[in-house]
Amino acid sequence: MPNNPLNAKQFKPNVHRLTVGAAMAGAGALLSVAGAALVATALAMAGRRVVTAWETHPVEMASRTAHQAASASSAARDAWHSNAV
């Protein structure tokens, strides 16, 4: 048992400082969210500019790559079956 138990009557925080601190923390949180939104918007716009500058559309590149993968898989399967003993 502690020698000096905490008495609820002794614990009296400064309400004004608590209120000001909470308000400042809330304002800081709002500013950080706004800053994060600005960063995300700037990065998204830069990414969009990069993608629009490509000569080939991303969907076309994905389709071409999928076709190449299917062709490679088919060729590997055929090679495997032709070398089977």
Side-chain angles (χ1 to χ4, degrees), residues 11-56:
F11 184 73
K12 294 184 182 184
N14 187 335
V15 177
H16 182 263
R17 284 189 181 174
L18 285 174
T19 304
V20 170
M24 289 176 73
L30 287 176
L31 282 173
S32 65
V33 168
L38 286 173
V39 167
T41 303
L43 290 174
M45 290 174 64
R48 178 177 275 190
R49 265 187 261 119
V50 167
V51 170
T52 56
W54 288 347
E55 294 178 4
T56 307

Side-chain angles (χ1 to χ4, degrees), residues 42-73:
L43 290 174
M45 290 174 64
R48 178 177 275 190
R49 265 187 261 119
V50 167
V51 170
T52 56
W54 288 347
E55 294 178 4
T56 307
H57 196 271
V59 173
E60 184 180 337
M61 285 193 300
S63 176
R64 185 182 328 149
T65 304
H67 184 268
Q68 289 172 347
S71 297
S73 175

